[in-house]
Amino acid sequence: MTDGWRESAEAWIADMGDTGDFGRACVLDRPMLARVQAGRFATALDVGCGEGRFCRMLRARGIAPIGIDPTDALIDEAQYRDRGGDYRVGRAETLDFADDSFDLVVSYLSLIDIPDIAAGIAEMARVLRPGGSLLIANLTSFNTAGQGEGWTNDWKGQARFPIDHYLRERADWVSWRGIRIRNWHRPLERYMSLLLEQGLLLRHFAEPAPYSGDPEMVARYCRVPWFLIMEWQKPG
Ligand SMILES: C[S@@+](CC[C@H](N)C(=O)[O-])C[C@H]1O[C@@H](n2cnc3c(N)ncnc32)[C@H](O)[C@@H]1O
């Protein structure tokens, strides 16, 4: 079954532009880069790198990343925008790298896209070197539990974001600006227990607030739980 990424690639590339969408440019990039800069990382793997924006940011900071993604058109775009970069078609569930290969493994809003999340997280932990970090930005599970309906107006015409069936893991179709993809909803416990099962240690947790941007968007992103950032370390 398709997940919509192949069909949505062109709209996704247009939507990301050079700087990324609001969530990236105004909420996630700064705290994600702060974690990167706090570590001593020379090599990195960006799992579900999309059109390569975060890999380009890592390269600008002297880190040598490899970006992998199953969507050919996004990998082609990443390589086109960054000729010297290393971008490969691949899936989180079967990473084509030796154990203990990378100082840093990044999943920037890709856990929600990975169908076999148990295999994906086990693979990310496997390729991380002891002492290295798995840095995750994800939609919160409270948010993905509301994605089926998204913002709706209540009987007073007030915008609401209804959360429902929180404990039921499922994939929902979500659409915006010409993009239509399947996102996974999983209770937070599912991600946390898989990460703990790998023996990883939680070193950082944040629910970042917007730090810039259109005030209406800032207000919207403060109303409901939106993103989380976690940094997990593989014991050295
Ligand atoms: C929401 S986008 C995020 C892209 C990029 N990290 C960013 O922040 O712009 C999710 C990405 O996950 C990719 N993806 C889908 N299934 C995947 C899988 N099984 N393993 C790795 N990546 C996957 C999609 O192709 C898409 O590029």
Side-chain angles (χ1 to χ4, degrees):
M1 186 198 201
T2 174
D3 59 8
W5 274 105
R6 179 183 291 259
E7 299 78 4
S8 298
E10 203 181 315
W12 179 262
I13 291 165
D15 200 49
M16 287 297 114
D18 287 330
T19 54
D21 58 5
F22 179 86
R24 289 168 175 77
C26 301
V27 189
L28 287 170
D29 280 350
R30 189 185 288 176
M32 284 290 279
L33 289 170
R35 296 311 302 173
V36 167
Q37 268 161 339
R40 283 209 195 93
F41 307 121
T43 58
L45 176 70
D46 185 355
V47 178
C49 66
E51 45 65 66
R53 201 186 55 93
F54 200 65
C55 284
R56 295 191 292 277
M57 292 174 123
L58 293 178
R59 262 160 62 76
R61 284 156 182 83
I63 297 170
I66 298 176
I68 68 116
D69 199 286
T71 309
D72 311 39
L74 297 179
I75 286 295
D76 290 348
E77 180 70 13
Q79 196 70 74
Y80 172 75
R81 289 197 189 189
D82 180 12
R83 298 293 163 97
D86 187 341
Y87 300 94
R88 307 179 191 184
V89 174
R91 304 184 69 83
E93 295 93 330
T94 49
L95 292 175
D96 198 10
F97 301 101
D99 297 359
D100 307 342
S101 292
F102 299 97
D103 299 337
L104 172 68
V105 174
V106 175
S107 168
Y108 197 133
L109 296 182
S110 65
L111 291 188
I112 44 171
D113 293 273
I114 298 170
D116 186 346
I117 195 61
I121 286 177
E123 280 290 87
M124 291 184 215
R126 181 184 66 77
V127 301
L128 197 57
R129 72 154 169 79
S133 284
L134 170 55
L135 181 61
I136 293 171
N138 205 24
L139 284 173
T140 72
S141 299
F142 310 114
N143 191 283
T144 53
Q147 281 206 329
E149 273 192 69
W151 289 95
T152 51
N153 286 338
D154 69 10
W155 62 279
K156 285 186 187 160
Q158 306 267 8
R160 301 285 179 207
F161 191 86
I163 289 173
D164 207 352
H165 301 295
Y166 178 79
L167 287 179
R168 183 161 56 83
E169 186 164 334
R170 60 191 183 271
D172 284 321
W173 284 98
V174 285
S175 318
W176 73 101
R177 296 190 290 275
I179 299 160
R180 184 170 179 272
I181 52 163
R182 260 183 359 145
N183 267 0
W184 284 87
H185 163 69
R186 304 175 175 106
L188 182 58
E189 181 190 298
R190 176 89 167 117
Y191 293 113
M192 300 306 267
S193 43
L194 290 171
L195 290 155
L196 289 167
E197 274 167 29
Q198 293 304 317
L200 301 174
L201 305 170
L202 183 60
R203 295 299 191 202
H204 178 78
F205 181 89
E207 293 177 301
Y211 48 80
S212 65
D214 169 20
E216 254 183 53
M217 289 291 281
V218 170
R220 197 181 174 92
Y221 274 69
C222 291
R223 276 195 62 184
V224 299
W226 216 279
F227 299 118
L228 58 75
I229 290 177
M230 298 190 281
E231 183 173 347
W232 293 81
Q233 192 176 38
K234 185 163 172 174

